[in-house]
Amino acid sequence: MFTLPELPYGHDQLGKYISGSIMQLHHDKHHQTYVDKLNAAIDAAPALRERSLETLLSDLDSLPEDVRSAIQNHGGGHYNHSLFWQWMSPDGGGEPTGELAQKITERYGSFQGFVDEFTAKSLAVFGSGWTWLQPDMEIITTANQDTPIMQGLEAPLLGLDVWEHAYYLDYKNKRDDYVNAWWNVVNWDVVQQRHVTK
Ligand code: MN
């Protein structure tokens, strides 16, 4: 059975940029629903119990058709959100250092150049989806709860949830204000750890 991971900080601790109300709704309700519906899909196809979440998502074509879209949507939701909580911190913001900073600068000219492109791609996502920084330093987007490993790509270094449920309570329709605020909570330590272990 898949379970909802605890937040690595209090619900209110990102409050200046992302309110406790959003975190309660987003983590406790939305993410819990992805977990519950993923578990229901696995209950309906018990042969899949042995597979890890990564294995399930990396080979959607191998899944029984009657549970495939549920695992894509809710399994993707569980996978993406489990990472998303780790990518934020009350002590976040600033810039990466070391080899990651160097690679970002090589690819985007400067850290600000990277922020600008990641932000622009996040604002260009039509409807619900995610923006990702991949280990090869590409910035890509996916729709809905799709995730890079579903597309045969490596696991992302960093990702941003641009579903309205991630910001509407605080920012209404102003996704740009949400994205600009989010840079202040990005946990670069976690991004760097993911980069190093690649
Ligand atoms: Mn979300």
Side-chain angles (χ1 to χ4, degrees):
M1 292 296 274
F2 295 101
T3 55
L4 182 68
E6 297 258 338
L7 283 179
Y9 36 78
H11 288 79
D12 290 328
Q13 280 189 279
L14 308 177
K16 191 172 166 195
Y17 304 107
I18 297 175
S19 67
S21 303
I22 282 194
M23 294 305 290
Q24 278 175 8
L25 185 73
H26 199 180
H27 174 267
D28 299 8
K29 305 291 185 197
H30 286 285
H31 191 170
Q32 183 70 60
T33 299
Y34 296 127
V35 170
D36 292 346
K37 293 192 171 176
L38 172 61
N39 283 329
I42 302 296
D43 281 345
L48 302 178
R49 279 224 174 92
E50 307 304 313
R51 298 196 199 175
S52 69
L53 185 56
E54 287 80 359
T55 304
L56 290 166
L57 299 180
S58 304
D59 195 5
L60 291 174
D61 288 345
S62 73
L63 304 180
E65 215 171 309
D66 57 332
V67 296
R68 189 181 302 153
S69 67
I71 291 173
Q72 178 174 359
N73 292 329
H74 302 294
H78 179 41
Y79 179 86
N80 291 339
H81 288 84
S82 297
L83 289 168
F84 187 54
W85 313 130
Q86 298 174 42
W87 282 321
M88 299 189 287
S89 165
D91 306 315
E95 298 186 15
T97 55
E99 195 190 306
L100 175 60
Q102 192 183 327
K103 283 194 171 172
I104 285 175
T105 303
E106 277 168 18
R107 177 70 179 74
Y108 295 99
S110 63
F111 177 68
Q112 191 59 47
F114 160 73
V115 168
D116 290 346
E117 179 147 349
F118 193 101
T119 298
K121 288 196 168 170
S122 299
L123 300 184
V125 172
F126 181 75
S128 298
W130 291 75
T131 314
W132 310 101
L133 174 64
Q134 290 297 108
D136 64 1
M137 295 296 120
E138 285 298 307
I139 299 167
I140 63 169
T141 63
T142 57
N144 304 313
Q145 294 299 349
D146 286 358
T147 200
I149 62 171
M150 286 178 192
Q151 304 177 355
L153 299 172
E154 285 192 81
L157 300 182
L158 175 66
L160 172 60
D161 187 344
V162 296
W163 282 57
E164 278 193 348
H165 72 214
Y167 60 89
Y168 199 83
L169 279 184
D170 288 354
Y171 296 99
K172 299 294 187 268
N173 58 320
K174 297 196 161 112
R175 188 188 286 177
D176 53 343
D177 289 349
Y178 159 67
V179 176
N180 289 330
W182 178 74
W183 292 110
N184 293 290
V185 296
V186 172
N187 188 341
W188 287 107
D189 291 342
V190 167
V191 181
Q192 280 171 196
Q193 281 159 22
R194 294 177 67 78
H195 177 249
V196 167
T197 55
K198 283 290 161 197

